[in-house]
Amino acid sequence: SEELQVAIDGPASAGKSTVAKLVAKKFKYVYCDTGAMYRAITLAAMQAKVALDDDAAVTNIAQATVITFKPGNRVQQVFIGQQDITQAIRKPEVTNNVSTVAAIKDVRTEMVKQQRVIASHGGIVMDGRDIGTTVLPNAQVKIFLVASAHERAVRRYNENIKKGIETPLVQLQKEIEIRDKKDSTRAVSPLKQAEDAVLVDTTSLSIDQVVKKISTIIMKIQ
Ligand code: C5P
């Protein structure tokens, strides 16, 4: 069987990473979370106290930062050099600033270059916003995962409660909508369904049902 490239794109909190991880495990593929890469650059820029609207300075950071992934027990760990940033990149300060950094053209050029290297041998499930449209336009499997903004906010709310964080549901929904708007309206590779992507609406589907749907698509092509 062939080692495919599987691209999973969609708006914030649609369940991309959960599903992508499970699909990767099932097919013994590598999972790459490209959102974590933009989050890592955002964190590095904030730690360096660089203004996030200073495109040239943020680009320098993107080009100088070495991001690596390590498979962990439960979550994939993310590093900048030796620094474990797995938790730090999920903090609200990073989440609410990442779309500004991800809109910088030369930051994207650098990330896309690294992502293509990671995906070059196939056997990869990559999730993000522009994987099917820009990073891997020839991916054999392209999924566009969506869910209603309300359902996505509820999922994020429940995840937060498990972690002991209590943010009001309305605030979470608002933050999700703001991020989606920034990501879909930026000039460089905005969030958009690729013409040849399969639309999967997960609003009323379980994780298991979504994984099965995507697995069926992969097995047909393999
Ligand atoms: O997937 P996640 O929500 O962690 O992504 C964080 C942010 O990174 C997105 O809101 C978007 O601004 C940016 N991103 C991107 N292109 C990707 C993946 C993420 O612009 N391929």
Side-chain angles (χ1 to χ4, degrees):
S1 66
E2 205 193 333
E3 297 268 277
L4 307 178
Q5 291 177 332
V6 180
I8 304 182
D9 292 298
S13 299
K16 297 184 298 294
S17 66
T18 306
V19 164
K21 251 178 255 172
L22 290 168
V23 170
K25 196 171 171 196
K26 193 159 169 176
F27 290 89
K28 298 199 165 67
Y29 282 11
V30 169
Y31 164 57
C32 178
D33 176 357
T34 65
M37 298 172 72
Y38 290 96
R39 287 170 181 273
I41 301 308
T42 305
L43 179 71
M46 289 166 77
Q47 285 179 343
K49 298 202 180 345
V50 157
L52 299 183
D53 60 357
D54 184 342
D55 290 14
V58 179
T59 299
N60 279 336
I61 288 184
Q63 290 169 346
T65 303
V66 179
I67 307 165
T68 52
F69 294 101
K70 276 190 199 158
N73 303 331
R74 223 171 45 78
V75 287
Q76 190 171 54
Q77 291 179 297
V78 191
F79 289 81
I80 295 175
Q82 302 297 313
Q83 188 194 355
D84 184 346
I85 56 162
T86 314
Q87 318 275 329
I89 58 170
R90 304 293 156 192
K91 296 217 162 116
E93 312 88 273
V94 173
T95 302
N96 294 330
N97 282 311
V98 62
S99 294
T100 304
V101 167
I104 302 172
K105 180 173 165 283
D106 297 332
V107 168
R108 301 202 69 81
T109 304
E110 179 61 30
M111 293 301 104
V112 170
K113 187 173 91 186
Q114 295 184 17
Q115 289 155 9
R116 285 182 180 153
V117 171
I118 295 170
S120 60
H121 301 294
I124 183 111
V125 183
M126 190 168 261
D127 79 354
R129 301 294 185 288
D130 62 336
I131 311 306
T133 55
T134 305
V135 181
L136 306 175
N138 298 320
Q140 297 90 337
V141 178
K142 295 183 186 179
I143 308 291
F144 199 73
L145 214 60
V146 299
S148 73
H150 177 74
E151 173 63 21
R152 291 184 282 132
V154 169
R155 289 178 192 168
R156 189 42 50 95
Y157 181 83
N158 291 334
E159 260 175 43
N160 281 355
I161 292 292
K162 274 189 218 153
K163 292 189 210 158
I165 308 165
E166 182 140 21
T167 314
L169 184 63
V170 283
Q171 186 186 328
L172 289 175
Q173 185 166 334
K174 189 154 203 126
E175 285 171 0
I176 284 173
E177 285 169 343
I178 291 171
R179 191 142 64 94
D180 287 347
K181 177 145 196 227
K182 282 188 193 159
D183 290 342
S184 346
T185 56
R186 70 181 174 224
V188 191
S189 35
L191 166 66
K192 186 172 169 273
Q193 182 179 348
E195 273 176 34
D196 51 350
V198 178
L199 179 69
V200 178
D201 186 339
T202 74
T203 307
S204 54
L205 296 181
S206 69
I207 293 169
D208 204 47
Q209 286 174 313
V210 180
V211 171
K212 283 214 179 90
K213 230 181 198 337
I214 297 174
S215 301
T216 306
I217 295 171
I218 296 173
M219 286 183 305
K220 269 191 204 147
I221 294 172
Q222 239 183 1

